[in-house]
Amino acid sequence: MDFDYHTMRAFADSWMLLAMALFFLGVVGFVLRPGARRAADEAAAIPLKDD
């Protein structure tokens, strides 16, 4: 299979756009999941904890 510029450009324009959109939606879903706020608050408090 010959991967020239035009083939790679067509792949990037179609499938990589879909892959990046799905990745973005996955990250947004992960951040907005139930229980994420408590985990984020706990992680944010780590530097402030005494040893």
Side-chain angles (χ1 to χ4, degrees), residues 10-22:
F11 177 77
D13 283 343
S14 59
W15 292 107
M16 288 307 292
L17 178 62
L18 177 63
M20 290 189 327
L22 290 174

Side-chain angles (χ1 to χ4, degrees), residues 26-51:
V27 168
V28 169
F30 181 77
V31 169
L32 297 177
R33 77 190 188 284
R37 175 147 193 142
R38 183 173 43 88
D41 288 341
E42 290 174 3
I46 289 173
L48 304 175
K49 289 183 181 178
D50 292 330
D51 288 333

